[in-house]
Amino acid sequence: MLFRSIGSTDIELYMQTQLRIIRGRDLAGRVAQELHLENVPEFNGRGPKPTGLAQSISTIKRYAALPYRMITQSTSPAAVLRDATATTSSNPSEYGDALLSHLEVEQVRGSQLVDLSFQSADPQFAAKAANAFAERYAKENLSMKVAALESSAGWLTGEVEKQEKLVRDSDLALAKYKETQDAGALDSGQNIVVARLNSMSDDLVKARTERIQKESVYRQLQAAGPDPEAITAVLNNGSVQTLRLQISSLEQERARVTERYGEKHPDYQKVIGQLANAKRLLTEEIAKATLTAKNDLDQAISNERVLQENVNEAKSAATALGRKGVDYAVLLREAESNRAIYNQLLTREKELRVVANSRTYNVRVVDKADVPSEPFTPNHRRDWTYALMVGLALGVGLAFLIDYLDDSVKTPDDITRHLKLRFLGLVPIVPGERHPLISGPVPHDFGEAYRAIRTSLAAQFSHNGPRIIATASTQPLEGKTTTAVNIAIALAVGGQRVLLIDADMRRPSVHKALRMHNDRGLSQLLAGQARMREVVQRTHDPNLMCI
């Protein structure tokens, strides 16, 4: 089966939930009713009984697979064993458990696919049961999805109706406030009060600037006194400029006539008269310009005063409108918020209605189960293979375990590794005599072993003077006497003077190996009952003596 999660962000969580639903007893019970399990001999207790050997093998396999099933199914051991043992039942209420004991549900790794497998002695029923589980789950999944969507859509319908009433009430409150408070200018695009205030403020700024300019000109004219001809406002006057040009021309003419005719000539008198008339007209024009500047200043002051009063009135109106705008903004935001929530709820309701009416599956059966052509179990070849592999693994593991637990010394390397001592030599076992001596008839390798030990000792004790060598064993009859006697003989034969002392007070045996008397020895020497020369005995080798 193929799963497609709807409305879930955690795919793994969704898949595990659906797998647990497939393994649920509720679904298994309905599948059992659909398959009429009470008429199937394998489940109603009327089918052939398995043999004792088959039951034993099945029990062993069930307990062997118990850890794996606990990990993969995340259930308790009791539940796993209960499901595994519920193979047959005569109680209709337990048919679901019997079906679940034969059902295997496994997710395909790395995908949203799930494999359903069913084990049964009847191949036809196995395929039928697997398909019934898949189809029943798909149908119930769809029905649950539709029921959940319809429930959510019904709840949203009620919420939409409530929100619609809130939108209507908020719109009515907003309209009533605009009507009672005359707040129509607060709407976007209709706030003429603010626009009028801005326009008047601009006009007031222009009027104030113009008034300042005219006042500056007038003050310059007043400060100029009787000669304001140098003022820019006077110079820019067209009549004044014409008269000034005319006076300049007449003065030039007067100078020419004076130079040519003299002051008493009629032409000179004529020019003088014209010049006086031009100066009189210039004085009149300057006076007119001064009066005009005064009138312009008065007009600018009047205009500024009127615009200031209008601006003050507009500010008062805007302030009053701003106070109304606070309550209006609250009502407007509430109305817009209610409308936005209403639109979202209405959209979501329509989407749920569309999805619920579409009846689309989010679970699809990819491949239906076919009737198997050969038994799945028991597979004797596979079982024998598993048995051989497990037996081989157990045997090898047991051998390694025994070897690991065995701490006895078997090789020279064991001595060096475990005891941290230098290895001197290895002596083979000589059958027959209790104390074989290298001075007698013994195998060649036996004698060579002790001669090798002698060489190792000589190399180890390279200094001159007395040297003491002690021989010991972990338990009796391990060969310490044979070893001590043969090392002593090997050293004596090599030219060393050797004193062999038997310090085993409980079971002395050196005298037996060398065939000597044991009537006096170390105990009498230590107790002061004999002197050294009395306890030292000579052997057949002049370099070897014994106590």
Side-chain angles (χ1 to χ4, degrees):
M1 291 192 300
L2 173 64
F3 289 86
R4 289 180 297 163
S5 59
I6 295 180
S8 177
T9 56
D10 193 342
I11 302 299
E12 183 63 24
L13 178 62
Y14 173 79
M15 291 295 298
Q16 294 301 322
T17 303
Q18 299 308 311
L19 293 179
R20 190 64 187 87
I21 293 175
I22 297 175
R23 300 190 189 101
R25 300 178 65 184
D26 189 25
L27 177 63
R30 284 192 285 272
V31 174
Q33 294 178 1
E34 181 180 342
L35 295 176
H36 301 287
L37 216 63
E38 66 276 3
N39 299 327
V40 180
E42 185 178 356
F43 294 91
N44 60 12
R46 301 172 186 173
K49 302 295 183 181
T51 63
L53 178 60
Q55 290 181 353
S56 300
I57 295 176
S58 177
T59 302
I60 294 173
K61 292 172 63 176
R62 182 169 63 251
Y63 278 97
L66 178 62
Y68 173 76
R69 295 189 63 188
M70 289 175 58
I71 294 174
T72 56
Q73 298 182 7
S74 300
T75 54
S76 63
V80 174
L81 292 176
R82 182 179 63 250
D83 293 344
T85 55
T87 56
T88 60
S89 176
S90 59
N91 188 357
S93 62
E94 298 180 358
Y95 285 144
D97 293 337
L99 273 181
L100 288 177
S101 65
H102 293 258
L103 178 67
E104 292 290 338
V105 183
E106 183 178 1
Q107 179 184 358
V108 179
R109 180 173 298 181
S111 68
Q112 299 186 40
L113 294 172
V114 174
D115 286 338
L116 297 182
S117 58
F118 193 87
Q119 298 183 17
S120 175
D122 184 1
Q124 301 287 340
F125 182 79
K128 183 178 179 181
N131 291 327
F133 264 101
E135 293 172 359
R136 170 60 62 177
Y137 170 75
K139 291 179 182 178
E140 292 194 358
N141 185 272
L142 176 62
S143 62
M144 287 190 295
K145 185 191 75 170
V146 172
L149 291 175
E150 289 180 350
S151 175
S152 300
W155 177 81
L156 280 176
T157 300
E159 293 298 317
V160 167
E161 293 176 356
K162 294 179 183 179
Q163 195 65 29
E164 184 179 6
K165 184 177 182 303
L166 290 177
V167 171
R168 188 183 305 109
D169 293 343
S170 59
D171 288 342
L172 290 176
L174 187 63
K176 183 178 180 181
Y177 182 84
K178 290 169 59 177
E179 180 180 355
T180 57
Q181 298 296 329
D182 191 20
L186 292 173
D187 288 338
S188 177
Q190 299 181 4
N191 199 343
I192 58 176
V193 175
V194 177
R196 181 168 174 267
L197 174 61
N198 294 334
S199 177
M200 287 183 177
S201 298
D202 295 340
D203 294 341
L204 177 60
V205 171
K206 295 178 181 179
R208 183 174 290 120
T209 302
E210 184 179 359
R211 189 261 306 168
I212 292 173
Q213 292 176 353
K214 294 183 181 298
E215 185 177 4
S216 175
V217 172
Y218 178 70
R219 290 185 182 279
Q220 289 178 3
L221 291 174
Q222 284 185 332
D227 187 17
E229 294 185 18
I231 304 304
T232 305
V234 176
L235 294 177
N236 292 335
N237 191 304
S239 300
V240 172
Q241 292 178 357
T242 302
L243 290 174
R244 285 173 64 87
L245 292 175
Q246 184 178 357
I247 290 173
S248 176
S249 177
L250 289 174
E251 287 180 349
Q252 293 177 1
E253 180 66 20
R254 184 187 62 177
R256 186 182 63 79
V257 172
T258 302
E259 181 181 357
R260 184 174 180 179
Y261 300 107
E263 295 181 356
K264 300 210 181 265
H265 194 276
D267 291 339
Y268 175 80
Q269 296 299 327
K270 181 180 178 182
V271 171
I272 290 298
Q274 292 177 351
L275 181 61
N277 185 41
K279 288 182 177 182
R280 182 181 55 80
L281 292 177
L282 177 60
T283 302
E284 291 177 357
E285 288 295 330
I286 291 174
K288 288 181 181 180
T290 303
L291 182 61
T292 301
K294 178 66 172 61
N295 293 334
D296 290 343
L297 176 60
D298 294 339
Q299 183 65 32
I301 292 173
S302 177
N303 290 339
E304 181 183 5
R305 186 181 300 110
V306 172
L307 287 174
Q308 184 65 52
E309 292 176 357
N310 293 336
V311 167
N312 292 337
E313 292 177 359
K315 284 183 178 180
S316 300
T319 302
L321 189 64
R323 287 194 294 269
K324 295 178 182 178
V326 175
D327 297 333
Y328 179 81
V330 173
L331 294 175
L332 182 61
R333 281 196 300 270
E334 182 179 0
E336 292 176 349
S337 176
N338 291 334
R339 191 174 294 106
I341 296 175
Y342 171 75
N343 292 332
Q344 293 178 358
L345 291 176
L346 186 61
T347 302
R348 183 58 180 165
E349 180 197 11
K350 292 180 179 179
E351 291 176 352
L352 289 179
R353 294 292 184 189
V354 171
V355 175
N357 295 331
S358 64
R359 302 279 175 171
T360 56
Y361 284 81
N362 67 318
V363 178
R364 180 169 61 90
V365 179
V366 179
D367 290 325
K368 289 190 175 182
D370 296 329
V371 178
S373 58
E374 58 183 10
F376 171 75
T377 184
N379 189 336
H380 297 294
R381 179 180 298 177
R382 182 188 59 189
D383 293 342
W384 277 111
T385 302
Y386 286 166
L388 290 175
M389 293 176 61
V390 171
L392 181 61
L394 290 177
V396 174
L398 183 61
F400 277 104
L401 178 62
I402 293 174
D403 181 72
Y404 176 76
L405 297 177
D406 185 10
D407 57 354
S408 61
V409 176
K410 296 183 177 64
T411 64
D413 293 336
D414 294 339
I415 297 175
T416 305
R417 183 171 62 254
H418 295 295
L419 303 181
K420 309 300 181 185
L421 297 176
R422 181 179 176 183
F423 175 72
L424 299 178
L426 182 65
V427 180
I429 296 176
V430 177
E433 297 185 22
R434 183 177 178 182
H435 299 292
L437 302 178
I438 60 175
S439 59
V442 293
H444 177 73
D445 54 350
F446 184 80
E448 285 297 327
Y450 281 107
R451 283 187 284 272
I453 294 175
R454 178 193 63 188
T455 304
S456 299
L457 290 173
Q460 186 171 359
F461 297 100
S462 59
H463 62 277
N464 297 323
R467 289 162 290 183
I468 301 174
I469 301 173
T471 305
S473 66
T474 59
Q475 59 186 0
L477 302 177
E478 283 192 339
K480 59 181 177 296
T481 299
T482 303
T483 300
V485 173
N486 283 300
I487 291 176
I489 295 173
L491 290 173
V493 172
Q496 301 289 333
R497 290 178 57 82
V498 181
L499 174 61
L500 177 61
I501 302 175
D502 189 353
D504 191 346
M505 298 299 185
R506 293 190 302 143
R507 300 180 63 181
S509 58
V510 172
H511 65 285
K512 297 178 182 179
L514 296 177
R515 296 177 177 85
M516 302 174 65
H517 298 289
N518 193 23
D519 52 353
R520 61 186 183 277
L522 182 62
S523 60
Q524 286 79 15
L525 179 63
L526 295 178
Q529 299 175 0
R531 291 178 294 178
M532 176 64 72
R533 65 169 175 256
E534 295 176 353
V535 299
V536 174
Q537 302 184 44
R538 294 186 178 276
T539 64
H540 61 279
D541 193 318
N543 290 331
L544 176 60
M545 291 173 288
C546 180
I547 297 179

